[in-house]
Amino acid sequence: GAVVSQHPSWVICKSGTSVKIECRSLDFQATTMFWYRQFPKQSLMLMATSNEGSKATYEQGVEKDKFLINHASLTLSTLTVTSAHPEDSSFYICSARVGVEEGGPQETQYFGPGTRLLVL
Amino acid sequence: GQNIDQPTEMTATEGAIVQINCTYQTSGFNGLFWYQQHAGEAPTFLSYNVLDGLEEKGRFSSFLSRSKGYSYLLLKELQMKDSASYLCAVMDSNYQLIWGAGTKLIIKP
């Protein structure tokens, strides 16, 4: 159990375009999902916490108008990178928090496979 | 401030045992997690400790001492596929995960 999928796995786009990344919990409901960004050889950086039915909570320094997050259902959160630029090229990873009712260790985060974004 | 410290890189030999240490200073504590991350892939969950002591799971074990703000991940019978980064993360009083920078483990034949 506790499988998280992410789509697409690879995106190459032109500068100025918008890119949407989907994160789905496949076999459980996730009231909270997280979006991370990871640059090469660096640790995970939390971008925002996505709560179902409410606005996302963004970390300091992350532009909420540039990284739009929508958590419309208990199994789906989306991250849209608007007007992408080359400096947005990175590895974007989502995770979903498993509650006690799902049988996992409380508050464990399970990660999607990640989306590699390259902006030309 | 909050911080997690773990070695940047470690090298070990196939078949041997390696211990990866993690020390932390956080505002509150609601558990410590270890994740494995292979190059180019997302992290995968390895272990969770919230009480002091050793949790064993196959070749991997994780230890926690809350009074010392210390944990270690012990990997036995190392295999080449264990070459990866190992991330230590602590959940603080707000249930936010504080991540270490990761320890890159290199396994040599």
Side-chain angles (χ1 to χ4, degrees):
Chain A
V3 177
V4 178
S5 72
Q6 210 171 319
H7 177 79
S9 55
W10 270 96
V11 180
I12 301 175
C13 68
K14 293 182 178 180
S15 183
T17 59
S18 293
V19 176
K20 180 186 280 189
I21 303 170
E22 292 187 350
C23 178
R24 294 181 185 272
S25 56
L26 296 185
D27 51 0
F28 66 101
Q29 294 182 331
T31 54
T32 304
M33 291 184 174
F34 304 86
W35 286 97
Y36 293 85
R37 182 167 51 183
Q38 187 176 37
F39 293 104
K41 299 184 179 181
Q42 295 188 23
S43 187
L44 298 170
M45 187 192 81
L46 179 65
M47 299 175 66
T49 301
S50 171
N51 299 298
E52 187 267 337
S54 65
K55 293 183 179 180
T57 304
Y58 290 81
E59 295 300 302
Q60 193 172 8
V62 178
E63 300 174 59
K64 62 180 181 181
D65 294 330
K66 179 170 182 62
F67 299 99
L68 301 178
I69 292 173
N70 184 288
H71 195 152
S73 76
L74 287 171
T75 59
L76 173 64
S77 175
T78 61
L79 168 69
T80 302
V81 183
T82 62
S83 187
H85 288 94
E87 56 266 30
D88 298 324
S89 298
S90 186
F91 190 40
Y92 291 86
I93 314 171
C94 74
S95 71
R97 190 156 65 191
V98 177
V100 173
E101 64 275 8
E102 301 293 340
Q106 189 172 5
E107 307 298 341
T108 298
Q109 289 186 29
Y110 290 88
F111 288 84
T115 297
R116 202 163 296 281
L117 172 63
L118 177 61
V119 185
L120 302 176
Chain B
Q2 306 198 98
N3 67 283
I4 310 286
D5 289 316
Q6 50 182 133
T8 304
E9 187 174 295
M10 298 182 70
T11 302
T13 305
E14 190 177 14
I17 299 173
V18 71
Q19 178 175 309
I20 303 174
N21 296 324
C22 171
T23 58
Y24 63 89
Q25 288 180 310
T26 57
S27 55
F29 180 83
N30 278 301
L32 184 144
F33 298 82
W34 284 96
Y35 285 85
Q36 179 191 60
Q37 185 177 25
H38 284 101
E41 298 181 11
T44 55
F45 170 75
L46 287 179
S47 68
Y48 169 71
N49 293 69
V50 67
L51 299 176
D52 290 350
L54 187 69
E55 294 277 346
E56 297 186 74
K57 193 184 292 186
R59 294 190 298 114
F60 293 5
S61 302
S62 57
F63 171 83
L64 174 67
S65 169
R66 289 171 296 171
S67 62
K68 295 181 179 178
Y70 168 70
S71 172
Y72 67 74
L73 180 69
L74 190 71
L75 292 78
K76 303 176 183 177
E77 301 171 14
L78 286 171
Q79 302 174 10
M80 297 303 294
K81 67 178 182 179
D82 297 330
S83 293
S85 287
Y86 292 85
L87 307 175
C88 172
V90 173
M91 184 158 284
D92 68 10
S93 56
N94 294 319
Y95 291 93
Q96 296 295 320
L97 269 184
I98 311 300
W99 291 89
T103 298
K104 183 178 180 180
L105 177 63
I106 300 169
I107 310 296
K108 295 185 175 180

